[in-house]
Each structure stands twice: as C-alpha cells, then as structure tokens.
Amino acid sequence: ADATQLIVCPTGKAGKYVVPASVQTIAPAAFSSCKNLSEVVLPAQLKVIEDYTFYECWGLAAVTFPDGLETIGKYAFDGSILQFLNFGKSLKSIGDHAFDRSSMVEVMILGSVPPELGDMAFGNEMDMAYTRLYVPVGSRAKYKNTGWTIFPTIYEGNKSRRWTGSRR
C-alpha cells in the first residue's frame, strides 16, 4: 500500500526496467518471470534485494546498484550475465549463491568494511582467475582476511578502466 516493496515485475517485461523510486525492498522471485530483461535500474532508496529476486534472468546484463543497498539475498542474481558489479559503502551482506552462474569480470566495492559473504556467494562455476576485485585504499588486508579471498586479484583504489571518475 505504501509502495515501498515491489512484489512482482510486470509479466513478460523485456529490455530495460526502472524500479519505482519509492521501492525499498524487492520481494523474493519478483522478477522470476522476466527472462528477457536486459537491464535494471534500482532506486536510491532500495535497501534489500530478497532471495531469488532475479533468479535465472538469463538476459540480465546490467544492474545499477544504489549506494544505500545493504542486503542481497540468496540466489538473487543466480544465472544472470552480469559482468561488472559496483557496490556502494552501505552493502553489509551478500547471500548464498547470489551471483552464481554469472560471468563477472570486475567487482568494485566502495565500503572499507568487507560485506559478509554467504556460501559460494559468487559461485564455483565461473573462472575467478580473471575476475578483479577493487576495494578502497587501505582495506585490502581486511578483504584478504575474509571470504573475499575467492578473488585472486584484489586491487586497492579505482584502477579499473570501466569506472573512471564516477560510479555507474
């Protein structure tokens, strides 16, 4: 009633979808029927992406994550084709298998405190040898002392050619 939770995406939605600005939580499996969705723009107010929200959205290649996002649930993006992830300072946790069966090239996190990672949050099927993790200057040791060691390459600062000067 207050439009703070998105329960379900319009059936058969394809292409780009902009989630309404008032949404703070996206319900479990809200986009499960959107197999032809290619891009999602999430609102600045969004705090929680529940379990299975974008599960098996095979065409999902781009998501704009807001700075205030705190939680990504289990299997939330499992099966997407996301290659570049850019998270703000507020991210606290990423659930089990959240990005399993994805094809990530770069992950950038602006928070100096590593978010908690669920079991196989980034999966085991992808070739992590080519995935780069970018963290704030002075925080590499914190990330190396946590589950983030699944990333063989951890860079401090923004050395990425994809994000130069501004967040996407």
Side-chain angles (χ1 to χ4, degrees):
D2 63 0
T4 60
Q5 183 177 37
L6 183 118
I7 305 295
V8 65
C9 177
T11 303
K13 182 70 179 164
K16 181 178 180 178
Y17 181 72
V18 179
V19 176
S22 61
V23 173
Q24 296 177 13
T25 302
I26 301 177
F31 287 82
S32 63
S33 64
C34 301
K35 304 300 182 198
N36 296 316
L37 199 61
S38 61
E39 180 179 359
V40 174
V41 178
L42 301 173
Q45 303 300 322
L46 186 69
K47 300 286 184 217
V48 178
I49 297 172
E50 296 281 357
D51 299 346
Y52 295 93
T53 298
F54 295 94
Y55 182 71
E56 293 187 350
C57 283
W58 304 115
L60 186 59
V63 175
T64 303
F65 294 100
D67 288 332
L69 181 64
E70 296 175 359
T71 303
I72 298 173
K74 297 175 185 177
Y75 297 90
F77 292 92
D78 179 18
S80 68
I81 56 172
L82 296 173
Q83 292 186 350
F84 300 95
L85 305 177
N86 190 1
F87 300 115
K89 294 178 182 178
S90 301
L91 188 62
K92 294 179 177 142
S93 66
I94 299 174
D96 299 349
H97 301 272
F99 294 95
D100 201 355
R101 298 183 297 154
S102 295
S103 52
M104 282 168 287
V105 175
E106 292 182 351
V107 176
M108 178 177 280
I109 300 179
L110 298 178
S112 57
V113 175
E116 290 183 32
L117 288 180
D119 185 42
M120 295 191 340
F122 290 95
N124 64 359
E125 294 178 31
M126 73 177 110
D127 186 0
M128 296 301 289
Y130 299 105
T131 304
R132 297 175 299 275
L133 174 63
Y134 295 89
V135 299
V137 173
S139 64
R140 182 184 302 159
K142 291 178 192 174
Y143 279 83
K144 282 189 170 188
N145 290 330
T146 65
W148 291 90
T149 56
I150 60 170
F151 290 89
T153 308
I154 301 176
Y155 295 102
E156 285 190 335
N158 182 0
K159 296 176 184 162
S160 167
R161 285 179 261 163
R162 177 146 170 91
W163 294 292
T164 55
S166 65
R167 286 193 67 225
R168 187 169 184 262

